């Protein structure tokens, strides 16, 4: 059972391994958006974006709903936004540490 949990965890984390998918999560933090709106905001074609959205939906990161011929996406669980923000905080801390090391070396 534990192995299966690690497998699910790894699959979910694959979402976080692509910059545009991270951007999708960030853009959707304030609520749902249509595929067309998302594509425009992210500077992607609908076809390219749809591949990312499909993968994210399969891994239960996003939920979708259809209204007429429009499809809207939203983040499935608000905790995912907190995870996104925590990872970003770690990244910024690392950047600050790296900058401090570089500055110390140049003195």
């Amino acid at each position: 059972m534990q192995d299966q949990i690690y497998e699910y965890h790894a699959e979910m984390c694959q979402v976080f391994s692509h910059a545009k998918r991270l951007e999708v999560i960030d853009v959707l933090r304030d609520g749902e958006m249509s595929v067309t709106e998302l594509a425009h905001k992210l500077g992607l074609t609908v076809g390219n974006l749809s591949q990312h959205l499909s993968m994210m939906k399969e891994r239960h990161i996003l939920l979708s709903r259809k209204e007429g011929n429009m499809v809207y996406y939203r983040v499935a669980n608000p905790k995912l936004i907190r995870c996104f923000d925590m990872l970003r905080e770690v990244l910024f801390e690392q950047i600050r540490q790296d900058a401090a090391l570089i500055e110390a070396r140049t003195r």
Side-chain angles (χ1 to χ4, degrees), residues 48-94:
N48 189 313
L49 176 60
S50 291
Q51 292 176 356
H52 291 297
L53 295 174
S54 176
M55 184 257 211
M56 295 172 81
K57 189 175 171 185
E58 283 175 13
R59 287 166 175 81
H60 307 288
I61 301 296
L62 300 180
L63 296 173
S64 68
R65 71 176 177 86
K66 191 168 183 168
E67 188 174 296
N69 55 351
M70 297 291 286
V71 180
Y72 295 86
Y73 282 87
R74 68 183 184 280
V75 175
N77 186 324
K79 291 177 184 174
L80 290 166
I81 301 296
R82 292 201 313 256
C83 290
F84 175 94
D85 290 342
M86 286 176 60
L87 284 171
R88 211 161 166 91
E89 284 177 29
V90 169
L91 172 67
F92 287 131
E93 286 173 10
Q94 289 174 346

Side-chain angles (χ1 to χ4, degrees), residues 6-7 11-13 34 39-40 47 74 103:
Y6 286 127
E7 190 64 37
E11 286 178 16
M12 180 178 271
C13 286
S34 74
H40 178 73
R74 68 183 184 280
E103 187 177 320

